[in-house]
Amino acid sequence: TQLLEQSPQFLSIQEGENLTVYCNSSSVFSSLQWYRQEPGEGPVLLVTVVTGGEVKKLKRLTFQFGDARKDSSLHITAAQPGDTGLYLCAGPAGSWGKLQFGAGTQVVVTP
Amino acid sequence: DTAVSQTPKYLVTQMGNDKSIKCEQNLGHDTMYWYKQDSKKFLKIMFSYNNKELIINETVPNRFSPKSPDKAHLNLHINSLELGDSAVYFCASSLAGGPNTGELFFGEGSRLTVL
């Protein structure tokens, strides 16, 4: 089983601060996806990283895929209350079409 | 237009009852899924269908029976509900499946509470 471990489980910060959340595995993944889930909604894809060492930016969000493709990080610069949500990483888990999710990091940004 | 819609959004029922959740996607996707999100927010795949055919069945009890009448619909029927079935059930779809599954599009979820 390819486990995806996310840390920290919970992060509470003030508006304007920076934060980083992590997604780690002992297995190599061909790609990793990051989703954000807001209360009462389904997860929504933010980004897919495919190449080892890849860095992708989405406005104030920076995603990095580890060189060995076993880990990924999400860095948010100058967090805003709208960044509040559950951040989930996910990767293909071997079986046809199966996407495995990490347990998520709950981020709360207060004004 | 909602891409992936599931009904009902909330279900409260007694142990032992049978209930169904319906899902429809208007994205023209080939693959649909059911995921279960527990109280700790962990999302776990239950089933996957590709063009109406069952592809993934993740050791889910037989009380759970998915049905795909066509590739735009995937319903979930649950017999003899138990307390542990209380969770949020998410329907999702993707353009393709297999190793290049790509982005999953999720519905809003159906919160099932078993009393």
Side-chain angles (χ1 to χ4, degrees), chain A residues 36-53:
Chain A
R36 179 170 64 212
Q37 183 180 10
E38 297 183 18
E41 303 287 333
V44 175
L45 182 71
L46 297 173
V47 81
T48 301
V49 286
V50 178
T51 308

Side-chain angles (χ1 to χ4, degrees), chain B residues 3-18:
Chain B
V4 180
S5 57
Q6 48 183 115
T7 54
K9 196 168 167 78
Y10 298 98
L11 266 171
V12 181
T13 189
Q14 300 283 334
M15 267 174 53
N17 284 351
D18 304 339

